[in-house]
Amino acid sequence: MSGGLLVAGTTSDAGKSVVTAGICRWLVRQGVKVAPFKGQNMSLNSFVTREGAEIGRAQAMQAQAARVEPSALMNPVLLKPGSDRSSQVVLMGKPVGELSASGYHGGRQEALLGTVVDCLERLRGTYDAVICEGAGSPAEINLRRTDIVNMGIARAAKLPVVVVGDIDRGGVFASFFGTTALLSPEDQALVAGYIVNKFRGDVSLLEPGIDMLRGLTGRHTYGILPFAHGLGIDEEDGLRVSLRGAVRESVVAPPVGEDVLRVAVCAVPLMSNFTDVDALAAEPGVIVRFVDRPEELADADLVVVPGTRGTVRALEWLRERGLARELARRAAEGRPVLGICGGFQVLGEHIEDEVESRAGSVAGLGLLPVRVRFAPEKTLARPTGEALGEPVEGYEIHHGVAEVLGGEAFLDGCRVGAVWGTHWHGSLESDGFRRRFLERVASAAGRRFVPAPDTSFGALREEQLDRLGDLIEEHADTDALMRLIEQGAPAGLPFIAPGAPA
């Protein structure tokens, strides 16, 4: 078997990432050696592989669903937005420059198709099946000529395509039909059918529409997946929760101690790797919220300043919003603050940036004795160590090089009073370290909070991935999906007018 499938979507956030992960988990449980793939990803939420390559966190999560080690082959092109008009281009896990959207789509993207196809073919030579994820919608007719992630890669690799639609948004039948009808005859020939995502209610009420859709398009619906709460998988396109909403819909569990612990995360611009706080939200009795106003820090027991692709811009935003003053007040009162990566950098004394913002010398918040200089080369690493008497693992993604001038050592950063800073993403996923850290936070905050002794973030992630596999196994036509993966798109699929414009 050397099969493949492209999971496209009617829109961004239709559910492509979770469906891809679910199919990977279902296949590996069937004994199929499977790998995920996304030719081009746009995300500020990234991960570092063991060989030191930066890829989208969604692909790392999908690799975990497939029970394989993530690699740069699974996400050869990663775009990290630095503004509304430009992104850093990461090729095969390493940054190669900054390009405007017009510059990228004006020629550079098309030139990368060979690299993307080569990576996919290398994976297909190693694995029984490769489940590819598209981006946005395949019917973005303004971008089809240079497409390397949707129908471009499907055509180049002769992949069958299923289109996922989010019925919770409404208009899913029109979206399926319209998406298909805006593709060229050659592209339409690869679109085998559809998957309905996030359905609530009685499936029998939907079935007449499914039958009519088949009559209109000649295509099969491969699954109707129910709306599922609490699927805390890694996002890729941005923060999909309200700034004042809970970070995750986790299983409600009472606190072990007498008090809960409230965590406020500053929603800085170009926030990156905000999944760092998922491990906090997984703890019974820990309430995590994203905030953007100083008064929202008042009752927080811990404030997290997360990573960002724009350190200087985040610093300006904190000052403009009055959050900088509140952070300084907290530090003076001995109330806990944690800075991670870019958030660690803004807590320092001074930033010298001729690389990311090109702002030159900028004064930091001065809460930690740290001076930061931005280097042209990005640090990409998977460090391990010990802190608070517990082993810790993490990963580093940053241009800023920190010179620590004092304080108590804390991972690669430092601690002064109740202010902590580190470049390490993912450190809070180390269970023992997270418990010790929360004990220190609770003590400084005067809360009678006790971390649960048996919370395993890794086990919770595995449970979530199994739930994704269950969704596919229980609510998709798995026999038809397996035939599609093994044999490709059915022959003779009808053309739906008008097709792609000339």
Side-chain angles (χ1 to χ4, degrees):
M1 177 182 179
S2 180
L5 175 69
L6 175 70
V7 179
T10 56
T11 62
S12 294
D13 202 34
K16 297 182 293 291
S17 295
V18 297
V19 170
T20 300
I23 293 174
C24 285
R25 179 50 61 100
W26 161 65
L27 283 173
V28 78
R29 295 196 304 209
Q30 309 309 306
V32 177
K33 188 179 179 185
V34 60
F37 178 80
K38 185 162 186 171
Q40 172 199 293
N41 197 346
M42 177 172 278
S43 178
L44 288 171
N45 204 14
S46 59
F47 182 77
V48 179
T49 67
R50 295 207 178 277
E51 67 266 28
E54 185 179 9
I55 66 172
R57 255 194 91 97
Q59 279 60 66
M61 175 271 295
Q62 290 161 356
Q64 187 176 349
R67 298 183 179 137
V68 297
E69 189 67 31
S71 79
L73 292 175
M74 297 172 184
N75 181 204
V77 181
L78 174 63
L79 305 178
K80 303 194 71 176
S83 70
D84 291 339
R85 294 178 177 268
S86 67
S87 294
Q88 183 181 67
V89 180
V90 179
L91 179 62
M92 295 304 294
K94 305 294 181 184
V96 295
E98 196 93 10
L99 279 179
S100 67
S102 60
Y104 183 68
H105 291 286
R108 181 62 184 270
Q109 182 184 35
E110 196 172 12
L112 293 173
L113 180 60
T115 299
V116 170
V117 172
D118 177 64
C119 289
L120 175 56
E121 290 309 308
R122 289 169 65 184
L123 288 173
R124 294 181 82 177
T126 303
Y127 294 90
D128 299 330
V130 179
I131 308 303
C132 308
E133 179 187 344
S137 163
E140 291 167 350
I141 54 179
N142 56 316
L143 303 177
R144 176 61 184 92
R145 183 180 63 82
T146 58
D147 172 47
I148 64 173
V149 66
N150 288 307
M151 300 314 298
I153 189 66
R155 284 268 292 277
K158 298 181 173 58
L159 291 170
V161 179
V162 293
V163 180
V164 178
D166 179 357
I167 196 170
D168 202 48
R169 295 180 173 187
V172 74
F173 292 120
S175 298
F176 284 146
F177 184 87
T179 296
T180 310
L182 279 176
L183 302 179
S184 69
E186 296 82 3
D187 287 351
Q188 285 193 26
L190 294 174
V191 177
Y194 315 106
I195 292 178
V196 177
N197 191 31
K198 300 184 184 177
F199 179 72
R200 305 174 193 248
D202 185 346
V203 173
S204 66
L205 297 176
L206 191 67
E207 287 171 349
I210 297 296
D211 292 340
M212 284 186 273
L213 181 67
R214 179 146 198 171
L216 287 166
T217 66
R219 287 161 170 83
H220 183 60
T221 295
Y222 287 84
I224 301 171
L225 309 183
F227 190 98
H229 291 277
L231 292 179
I233 60 96
D234 296 338
E235 303 280 7
E236 67 171 29
D237 292 326
L239 185 58
R240 300 294 183 190
V241 295
S242 163
L243 287 179
R244 295 174 184 84
V247 59
R248 287 286 183 260
E249 294 180 21
S250 54
V251 176
V252 177
V256 175
E258 297 179 44
D259 287 344
V260 298
L261 210 60
R262 295 174 174 84
V263 179
V265 185
C266 297
V268 297
L270 298 174
M271 181 164 41
S272 62
N273 290 73
F274 55 84
T275 47
D276 281 335
V277 299
D278 281 0
L280 296 178
E283 285 283 349
V286 176
I287 301 167
V288 180
R289 299 172 67 84
F290 289 92
V291 304
D292 62 351
R293 299 189 303 225
E295 58 268 27
E296 294 175 300
L297 305 187
D299 67 345
D301 303 307
L302 169 66
V303 174
V304 177
V305 188
T308 171
R309 171 85 163 85
T311 299
V312 170
R313 181 174 167 187
L315 186 57
E316 293 170 348
W317 181 87
L318 289 168
R319 287 180 167 136
E320 289 167 0
R321 295 260 173 166
L323 288 159
R325 288 193 303 273
E326 187 60 31
L327 289 170
R329 183 179 299 112
R330 290 183 64 90
E333 294 172 353
R335 302 173 67 198
V337 176
L338 171 64
I340 302 173
C341 200
F344 166 42
Q345 295 167 8
V346 305
L347 297 180
E349 297 172 350
H350 184 81
I351 297 170
E352 192 71 31
D353 181 11
E354 300 292 349
V355 176
E356 188 176 78
S357 68
R358 296 181 174 85
S361 296
V362 179
L365 297 185
L367 306 184
L368 290 174
V370 174
R371 299 178 70 84
V372 176
R373 176 185 56 81
F374 274 69
E377 294 219 351
K378 182 183 285 190
T379 297
L380 297 169
R382 289 279 294 272
T384 60
E386 183 178 299
L388 307 182
E390 297 285 348
V392 191
E393 295 183 6
Y395 57 99
E396 294 184 64
I397 307 170
H398 54 92
H399 282 280
V401 178
E403 180 186 5
V404 179
L405 303 173
E408 177 186 337
F410 176 64
L411 301 175
D412 70 325
C414 65
R415 169 197 174 190
V416 173
V419 180
W420 315 65
T422 177
H423 275 129
W424 290 21
H425 294 290
S427 63
L428 294 167
E429 295 179 18
S430 298
D431 297 325
F433 166 71
R434 183 181 64 254
R435 293 184 193 113
R436 300 292 85 75
F437 177 71
L438 289 176
E439 286 172 354
R440 299 289 184 92
V441 169
S443 176
R447 294 285 186 187
R448 289 172 292 185
F449 169 85
V450 178
D454 55 355
T455 301
S456 168
F457 185 77
L460 290 171
R461 173 55 53 85
E462 278 297 304
E463 288 175 13
Q464 290 171 333
L465 295 174
D466 275 333
R467 289 181 64 198
L468 295 181
D470 293 343
L471 284 176
I472 299 299
E473 190 166 334
E474 296 169 10
H475 302 282
D477 186 344
T478 52
D479 290 341
L481 269 180
M482 189 67 84
R483 286 194 300 272
L484 196 61
I485 292 167
E486 292 177 338
Q487 301 171 17
L493 291 167
F495 171 71
I496 309 301

